Amino acid sequence: MSHPGLFITFEGIDGAGKSSHIEGLAAAFRTQGRAVTVSREPGGTPLAEKLRDMVLSDPMDALTEALLIFAARRDHLCNVIEPALARGEVVLCDRFTDATFAYQGAGRGFDLGVLSTLERMVQTGTAPKADLMREPDLTVWFDVAPEVAAARLAGARIPDRFEAQPIEFFRRVAQGYADRAAAAPQRFARLDAAQDRHRVWQQLTSVFVRKGWLAIMVAAQKGPQ
Ligand code: TMP
């Protein structure tokens, strides 16, 4: 049976715990016979991964940062996301444009109007329908207090340019996500990511079961490792 592609993104501040659930979800979809592409932003193609390295480590101003992130997104959309959706796959992407509004917009204070213009420019003309602006079918938002996220990250690895930011930065980023979710409530599913991994997994899978995308049995079998 052929399925339409599904584009699902995962968002939250650093330390929200989203990445550990994405592989579990991919396994659950595969158990049901769906082909899955797992990817991330910035990144997902050889070019976009090079841009990711720069964005995460090289000092730069806010406009340069936003332009590099959107350049990486365009390459990723054209070469990975759209082809996978055209094949009817489930695309699970660790972060997408909501992160740009949260980090560059709310976090860095970069002009939201410019980000909206770039969003439209970069995400239009990649889908088969030429005038469609590609957006996620669902965005799962792992909502957690910056203090909880910071405690989880403490000592975990050498921080990149974002992880090294002070807690006030993450308060603004968290508010940026809340604003994006309030503006598009039909696209967002909010999870209480302060709970333990198993509970977060249950919240996550129940969203997909409610949408009819995962069978209850499969959701119950798979879980965070
Ligand atoms: P992560 O994928 O390990 O979370 O690292 C990506 C970092 O890049 C994370 O700190 C958030 C940041 N980022 C932005 O600032 N803007 C964006 O648009 C995206 C996708 C990520």
Side-chain angles (χ1 to χ4, degrees):
M1 197 172 101
S2 72
H3 293 273
L6 266 184
F7 181 30
I8 300 159
T9 60
F10 301 84
E11 298 284 0
I13 60 174
D14 293 270
K18 63 190 162 43
S19 306
S20 60
H21 288 290
I22 296 177
E23 282 303 333
L25 208 51
F29 272 111
R30 288 183 182 123
T31 301
Q32 293 191 171
R34 294 290 309 252
V36 181
T37 290
V38 176
S39 199
R40 67 173 181 179
E41 291 217 350
T45 67
L47 172 60
E49 289 290 332
K50 285 188 206 161
L51 295 173
R52 176 189 174 92
D53 284 346
M54 294 177 199
V55 167
L56 295 190
S57 56
D58 297 356
M60 63 187 73
D61 86 326
L63 176 59
T64 310
E65 188 178 282
L67 290 173
L68 290 181
I69 287 170
F70 272 115
R73 180 159 302 136
R74 179 79 184 182
D75 194 58
H76 189 212
L77 265 173
C78 292
N79 293 302
V80 173
I81 296 174
E82 293 294 353
L85 293 174
R87 292 191 299 269
E89 295 185 13
V90 178
V91 176
L92 304 180
C93 191
D94 194 342
R95 300 189 185 283
F96 194 64
T97 304
D98 296 303
T100 316
F101 279 84
Y103 280 78
Q104 281 63 50
R108 299 252 194 253
F110 190 77
D111 191 298
L112 297 182
V114 175
L115 294 183
S116 295
T117 303
L118 291 170
E119 175 187 37
R120 183 150 298 279
M121 200 181 275
V122 165
Q123 291 165 225
T124 304
T126 58
K129 207 161 163 277
D131 57 350
L132 177 93
M133 181 173 102
R134 175 62 73 188
E135 287 189 284
D137 296 300
L138 172 72
T139 298
V140 183
W141 171 33
F142 288 70
D143 187 19
V144 67
E147 293 76 10
V148 175
R152 284 182 186 161
L153 282 181
R157 55 184 171 189
I158 300 167
D160 62 34
R161 279 180 65 238
F162 296 100
E163 290 163 349
Q165 292 292 320
I167 196 130
E168 294 73 39
F169 176 83
F170 289 103
R171 289 207 182 96
R172 293 196 298 276
V173 174
Q175 185 58 49
Y177 277 126
D179 293 345
R180 288 287 281 182
Q186 68 294 348
R187 173 165 68 81
F188 272 82
R190 178 192 169 275
L191 307 185
D192 175 1
Q195 296 194 342
D196 66 41
R197 273 157 70 106
H198 187 66
R199 291 233 161 113
V200 173
W201 173 253
Q202 286 174 332
Q203 293 179 59
L204 176 66
T205 51
S206 68
V207 170
F208 285 79
V209 169
R210 273 201 304 277
K211 286 194 167 283
W213 294 344
L214 276 187
I216 294 177
M217 288 304 292
V218 174
Q221 279 164 20
K222 306 282 172 185
Q225 302 307 307

